[in-house]
Amino acid sequence: MSKKIAIIGAGISGLSAAAYAAKHGNEVHVFEKHAQPGGRARQFTTENGYTFDMGPSWYWMPDIIENFFRDFNHKPEDFYKLISLNPQFQIVFSDSKLSVPENYQELKKLFEQMEKGSGEKLDAFMRSARYKYDVGMRDFVNKPCHNWSEFLSPKIAKSALKLDLLTNFRKYVGRYFKHPHLRALMEFPVIFLGASPKNIPALYSLMNYGGYALGTWYPVGGFYQLILAMEKIAVDNGVHFHFNHNIDEIISENDLATGIKTNGKEMSFDCIIASSDYHHTESLLNTNKKNYTEKYWESKTFAPSCLIYYLGFKERLPNLQHHTLFFENDMDAHIDSIYTDKKWPEKPLFYTCCPSRTDDGVAPEGHENVFLLMPLAIGIEDNEAIREQYFTQMITRLEHHTGTSNLVDKIDYKRSYCIKDFITDYNAYKGNAYGLANTLKQTAVLKPSIKNKQLQNLFYTGQLTVPGPGVPPSIISGRIVANEVNNLKKFQYEKAI
């Protein structure tokens, strides 16, 4: 049965849901409060010639992204050129630097140089990580997670012990590697999943395989090329986009969502998919139609927010890779400030992305495009004075790393972005940047439901529901929800009415 569907938000999960729902023959309308698609993955261009991706910058799990294009008889290269980064990234420690090579055999040699016997241990780690990746990214994450019975298959049952769901990630890494720098390298990918490696299931070693083994990539023109490609596919399948349309209310009657109110105008729909922040979406409903209370959201563990600085420099910066992690300070102290103490860190870690190292088109000739990102607790105080205090710390460390003095004097573009901006731009709960943490207690069925429990035709997609935060999971989330909507039968509507 063809349906008229409203999708709230043109972020990655919304674009994915729109494309899959339209492919099934539905009339799909996407409503986006901004003037462009992308959500947290938007892009902006400055008057003096810089182009900045606002959000995602790590192009990992390329096979999962490619699967989206394949479902529409396309390949990523139909829309953009991908470059494999070499080195994939660099980590700066207090006493040394570690560059992760593109080639796995070179990575293995690097491990062996740093710790005798760790080359073979890396092979063993990656064999297990690949198994988890194959099962996790092909079986686990594709479930709508209405109930645990979805996981009662012989294949998943057989896989249970090998997935290491009950072992924490730090302990798991410690079984293989002793050198502190190698352990930091292996723990890094899970930091943005929303908890300390001490509290993340070892299942997520699949991230190491999805990154280090499958490579770190860059789409020429910036990550936004993926957004433009997804939008083009959606449009080609008949999706209608309505930009600069803020949603004022989700209208409901009995057990059906009957439409939306946008920019003061009411519009009727058969079904609604919310790609907007889950907590905010529920604020658009009558109280008795919400899935969850404020107490529920307060009890959840969220992935971090972050402080970002978008910077343009009037000259090239030496010794700076496309991706650089500044880990000179203690990782656990920073992680505790995010998840335990919930305060600004005293001695922060941070990340630098320099796409102009790879792509001449994102900065004027001879200039450098850089953004600095520091993970933060959600819901903490955010003002310009605090932002500048941490900017000074980061730029000083960047000066030391690049061997360049007076970097501030070389800046010809500067913009900060932090908790308040995530709330204003995305209605993000307490300014979260990465959604809900992937802790064991917030996995699969234990995540917020993709379906409203009171309204049979209202669904949720994105980083606050299954499968979780990140670009590939958001693409999968959109597909899962679109399939749920596509499978709604006509008699369900008639019964409700």
Side-chain angles (χ1 to χ4, degrees):
M1 172 189 171
S2 177
K3 309 172 187 71
K4 185 179 180 181
I5 301 171
I7 295 181
I8 304 173
I12 289 172
S13 64
L15 291 170
S16 175
Y20 282 109
K23 181 185 178 184
H24 199 73
N26 298 300
E27 179 184 339
V28 180
H29 294 260
V30 179
F31 297 88
E32 169 57 49
K33 68 179 287 188
H34 295 105
Q36 65 185 122
R40 286 168 169 80
R42 289 181 298 151
Q43 188 178 77
F44 70 93
T45 300
T46 70
E47 291 183 357
N48 57 344
Y50 294 97
T51 298
F52 291 97
D53 283 322
M54 295 187 69
S57 58
W58 292 82
Y59 197 108
W60 274 5
M61 303 184 183
D63 57 325
I64 305 300
I65 298 174
E66 186 175 343
N67 287 342
F68 169 81
F69 289 103
R70 186 181 298 116
D71 286 343
F72 297 91
N73 298 314
H74 280 293
K75 304 182 294 294
E77 51 265 38
D78 294 339
F79 300 92
Y80 50 81
K81 178 183 178 182
L82 275 177
I83 295 175
S84 178
L85 300 182
N86 189 28
Q88 297 189 44
F89 61 93
Q90 185 176 70
I91 301 185
V92 179
F93 296 105
S94 60
D95 58 354
S96 62
K97 300 171 186 177
L98 192 161
S99 292
V100 176
E102 172 189 35
N103 181 273
Y104 177 77
Q105 292 304 318
E106 291 299 317
L107 179 63
K108 187 176 172 181
K109 288 179 183 178
L110 175 65
F111 270 62
E112 188 64 31
Q113 289 169 7
M114 296 180 65
E115 181 180 310
K116 187 174 177 58
S118 65
E120 290 186 2
K121 289 180 179 179
L122 179 63
D123 280 341
F125 184 99
M126 284 299 184
R127 278 195 298 271
S128 178
R130 178 173 184 172
Y131 180 84
K132 292 168 187 167
Y133 188 87
D134 289 341
V135 174
M137 298 306 294
R138 287 167 176 79
D139 295 316
F140 264 57
V141 301
N142 290 301
K143 307 291 185 184
C145 296
H146 296 306
N147 54 67
W148 289 111
S149 64
E150 297 169 28
F151 297 90
L152 297 179
S153 72
K155 182 177 180 181
I156 291 178
K158 184 179 179 181
S159 304
L161 289 176
K162 294 183 180 180
L163 294 177
D164 291 302
L165 284 166
L166 301 180
T167 304
N168 77 65
F169 194 77
R170 170 155 295 168
K171 183 178 180 180
Y172 182 77
V173 169
R175 293 177 185 172
Y176 291 88
F177 311 107
K178 303 304 177 188
H179 195 293
H181 293 351
L182 293 183
R183 294 177 71 160
L185 171 64
M186 301 308 282
E187 289 182 358
F188 149 67
V190 306
I191 290 176
F192 291 97
L193 292 178
S196 165
K198 294 180 290 187
N199 298 319
I200 290 284
L203 165 69
Y204 289 104
S205 64
L206 64 85
M207 296 280 289
N208 299 83
Y209 179 79
Y212 303 170
L214 297 184
T216 302
W217 301 79
Y218 173 78
V220 175
F223 212 98
Y224 197 63
Q225 297 305 309
L226 171 61
I227 301 302
L228 294 177
M230 294 181 74
E231 181 191 29
K232 177 69 164 56
I233 286 174
V235 169
D236 288 349
N237 279 272
V239 175
H240 306 275
F241 283 89
H242 308 268
F243 296 110
N244 299 308
H245 275 67
N246 193 50
I247 304 301
D248 307 311
E249 180 185 352
I250 296 174
I251 304 166
S252 63
E253 184 176 344
N254 298 322
D255 64 347
L256 284 178
T258 57
I260 59 171
K261 185 176 182 180
T262 173
N263 292 357
K265 179 183 177 181
E266 293 188 7
M267 302 179 68
S268 297
F269 289 93
D270 299 319
C271 192
I272 297 171
I273 297 173
S275 174
S276 45
D277 179 271
Y278 201 126
H279 174 270
H280 171 70
T281 300
E282 299 239 282
S283 75
L284 304 174
L285 293 163
N286 292 331
T287 302
N288 64 342
K289 302 298 184 184
K290 296 180 180 181
N291 274 354
Y292 304 106
T293 64
E294 286 298 316
K295 185 177 180 180
Y296 170 88
W297 292 110
E298 287 286 344
S299 71
K300 297 292 103 178
T301 301
F302 278 78
S305 185
C306 57
L307 168 63
I308 303 173
Y309 271 92
Y310 305 101
L311 304 172
F313 290 94
K314 292 180 282 188
E315 62 183 55
R316 294 286 190 176
L317 305 185
N319 306 317
L320 191 61
Q321 300 298 334
H322 190 117
H323 298 298
T324 307
L325 305 171
F326 286 81
F327 275 30
E328 309 101 308
N329 296 325
D330 182 66
M331 182 192 296
D332 283 344
H334 189 143
I335 289 173
D336 286 345
S337 74
I338 297 173
Y339 304 116
T340 304
D341 304 327
K342 297 182 180 179
K343 65 179 184 180
W344 287 81
E346 293 182 12
K347 295 181 178 180
L349 314 180
F350 72 99
Y351 155 62
T352 296
C353 182
C354 182
S356 51
R357 181 66 53 186
T358 306
D359 186 353
D360 290 336
V362 298
E365 185 177 356
H367 291 222
E368 206 81 278
N369 175 320
V370 173
F371 79 72
L372 314 177
L373 184 151
M374 187 178 78
L376 291 173
I378 66 170
I380 59 177
E381 182 184 4
D382 169 27
N383 59 54
E384 197 60 34
I386 295 176
R387 295 184 189 191
E388 283 296 302
Q389 174 188 338
Y390 284 89
F391 170 74
T392 299
Q393 289 192 45
M394 290 188 286
I395 204 73
T396 299
R397 287 158 67 182
L398 189 61
E399 286 179 342
H400 182 264
H401 175 68
T402 60
T404 307
S405 59
N406 302 317
L407 276 181
V408 172
D409 296 335
K410 297 172 172 49
I411 293 173
D412 63 349
Y413 182 82
K414 178 183 176 185
R415 175 186 176 184
S416 67
Y417 201 94
C418 199
I419 293 169
K420 286 183 178 179
D421 302 295
F422 282 103
I423 295 172
T424 299
D425 283 356
Y426 310 120
N427 302 300
Y429 180 74
K430 293 190 176 182
N432 81 84
Y434 301 100
L436 207 60
N438 272 345
T439 60
L440 188 57
K441 293 180 180 180
Q442 295 179 168
T443 296
V445 178
L446 303 178
K447 286 186 182 293
S449 173
I450 65 169
K451 190 176 187 302
N452 187 280
K453 300 170 186 176
Q454 310 299 324
L455 304 171
Q456 62 171 297
N457 59 340
L458 172 60
F459 295 82
Y460 307 84
T461 186
Q463 60 184 10
L464 287 179
T465 184
V466 295
V471 172
S474 291
I475 293 173
I476 293 169
S477 182
R479 185 182 71 229
I480 290 171
V481 168
N483 288 340
E484 291 288 300
V485 170
N486 291 340
N487 291 332
L488 280 177
K489 305 299 183 183
K490 184 174 184 290
F491 76 86
Q492 293 175 286
Y493 294 106
E494 292 175 340
K495 181 180 177 181
I497 294 170

